Amino acid sequence: MNHPSAITSGDLSSTSSDQKYPLGTRVTLKSATYGEQEYIYVKNGSGSSIAASLGVMIKNGTDDHTVVLSGSGIARARFVGVTHVAIADGYYGWVKMRGSGIVITDSGSGISANTGIKCAANGAFAAGTILTEETIGHVGTAISASATGPALIK
C-alpha cells in the first residue's frame, strides 16, 4: 500500500480497485473559495456503484470505513460523508466529511433556502429540523426536488 507524504486535490478525485491508503485516512485541504474541506478514504461495499453527490454511511456488520448509500433516519454517528465523484462497487475513494459540497435532494420535495438537511432514502437528502432531527448540514439556497445544489456539510 502506498502512503505518500502529501495528498493533493487531484488524489481526492481518483478512485481505484486497489487500496492506496488505510481506510479512514483523513485529509484536510484549504480551498481559496471554500476554506477548509475535510475528506475521508473509504471502500464502496454497497453492491453497486455510488454516484456523485450522494450520502454514504457505515455498512451494517462492519467496523471499518466500508460504506453504502445512506438511508432515511440514520443516526448521525453512522453518516460518513458525501461523494464528490462516483465510486464503483468494491472500489476505494474519498468522500467529503466537512465543507462545501454538492448534494442531491430526494424526489419527494425540494429543500428551502437556509434549511438544515438530513439523510433521506438511497443517499439523497431532504429538509431537516435542526435540534430535533439528525441533520448533517445546511443549505443556503433552495434546491428543487431530484436536483443537485450546494450545501455546507458538517
Side-chain angles (χ1 to χ4, degrees):
M1 198 176 330
N2 183 15
H3 299 285
S5 59
I7 297 171
T8 67
S9 59
D11 296 323
L12 300 176
S13 296
S14 297
T15 63
S16 67
S17 60
D18 60 319
Q19 186 176 341
K20 305 278 187 196
Y21 312 99
L23 290 178
T25 297
R26 295 178 187 208
V27 63
T28 300
L29 296 178
K30 289 189 179 182
S31 161
T33 305
Y34 301 112
E36 285 192 354
Q37 309 287 303
E38 186 175 1
Y39 298 85
I40 189 165
Y41 193 68
V42 300
K43 179 181 182 182
N44 176 358
S46 69
S48 61
S49 184
I50 298 176
S53 304
L54 294 175
V56 294
M57 67 182 185
I58 300 294
K59 181 178 180 176
N60 282 338
T62 65
D63 58 2
D64 60 13
H65 287 87
T66 300
V67 298
V68 296
L69 286 172
S70 58
S72 182
I74 67 161
R76 177 74 174 97
R78 283 192 71 193
F79 181 75
V80 176
V82 177
T83 55
H84 63 284
V85 297
I87 304 174
D89 181 46
Y91 274 59
Y92 299 85
W94 297 92
V95 298
K96 185 171 288 189
M97 293 181 63
R98 187 176 53 86
S100 296
I102 302 296
V103 298
I104 189 165
T105 60
D106 70 357
S107 59
S109 62
I111 301 173
S112 301
N114 303 313
T115 302
I117 58 173
K118 65 181 180 179
C119 295
N122 301 314
F125 296 91
T129 305
I130 296 173
L131 299 179
T132 61
E133 294 181 290
E134 296 278 354
T135 56
I136 60 89
H138 177 269
V139 298
T141 57
I143 307 172
S144 301
S146 299
T148 57
L152 180 60
I153 300 151
K154 300 233 176 204

